[in-house]
């Protein structure tokens, strides 16, 4: 039985990054492709129509996406994987709130958007840390002869 509420748009969910299948090298197109295909299988399973998921399927979908991220995320995202894994966990929690009636579909959509903003911010910070030169105090000193 479908919920009387309108289906939730998957636009925000589809925009989530995609990833890996068996065990390709980290941060490579095959790793990203494997994750993408795993996430697409989740969408194909739980969407009622293209781009829409019934409210009662959203928790199942978010759990499936989180499992795909856990399984393939390390290979696909490399050093950024923990950021995406945390976002996936928060998505599952938001879907549980929706299922329990603590969120309306609109609130759920807003929460997913906020999670994506937090991921993007964390990614920018992580990239800056990885590309920033080390503090001179922390750099190794070449041996003197």
């Amino acid at each position: 039985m479908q919920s009387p509420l309108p289906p939730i748009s998957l636009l925000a969910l589809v925009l989530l990054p995609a990833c890996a299948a068996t065990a390709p090298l980290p941060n490579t197109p095959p790793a990203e492709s494997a994750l993408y295909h795993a996430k697409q299988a989740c969408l194909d399973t739980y969407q009622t129509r293209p781009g829409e998921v019934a409210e009662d399927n959203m928790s199942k979908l978010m759990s499936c996406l989180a499992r795909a991220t856990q399984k393939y995320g390390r290979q696909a995202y490399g050093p950024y994987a923990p950021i995406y894994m945390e976002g996936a966990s928060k998505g599952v929690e938001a879907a549980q709130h929706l299922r329990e009636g603590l969120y309306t579909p609109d609130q759920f959509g807003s929460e997913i958007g906020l999670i994506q903003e937090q991921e993007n911010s964390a990614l920018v910070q992580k990239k800056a840390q990885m590309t920033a030169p080390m503090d001179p105090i922390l750099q190794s000193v070449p041996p003197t002869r």
Side-chain angles (χ1 to χ4, degrees):
M1 176 175 188
Q2 288 206 340
S3 171
L5 295 173
I8 299 169
S9 173
L10 285 180
L11 180 59
L13 297 175
V14 173
L15 295 176
L16 292 173
C19 267
T22 43
L25 295 172
N27 299 96
T28 62
E32 292 171 1
S33 176
L35 177 60
Y36 172 80
H37 289 296
K39 286 184 173 186
Q40 189 61 49
C42 293
L43 289 172
D44 292 344
T45 301
Y46 294 109
Q47 62 187 352
T48 53
R49 290 190 311 221
E52 294 182 358
V53 173
E55 185 176 324
D56 50 342
N57 281 345
M58 191 55 71
S59 183
K60 295 173 190 171
L61 172 64
M62 296 305 286
S63 293
C64 184
L65 292 171
R67 283 190 305 275
T69 301
Q70 287 290 328
K71 184 172 182 178
Y72 301 115
R74 291 190 205 303
Q75 288 295 319
Y77 299 129
Y80 307 106
I83 295 167
Y84 289 106
M85 289 180 188
E86 181 180 346
S89 294
K90 288 179 179 179
V92 169
E93 186 177 320
Q96 288 171 343
H97 289 199
L98 176 67
R99 185 183 70 227
E100 294 165 358
L102 300 174
Y103 283 171
T104 65
D106 286 341
Q107 289 170 321
F108 173 75
S110 294
E111 184 67 17
I112 294 300
L114 178 61
I115 291 166
Q116 288 179 327
E117 287 178 26
Q118 291 170 343
E119 282 180 349
N120 291 337
S121 176
L123 288 169
V124 167
Q125 289 175 354
K126 179 78 171 177
K127 287 177 184 178
Q129 289 172 351
M130 293 176 70
T131 59
M134 287 182 69
D135 186 326
I137 295 172
L138 301 176
Q139 292 181 1
S140 60
V141 178
T144 55
R145 295 182 190 195

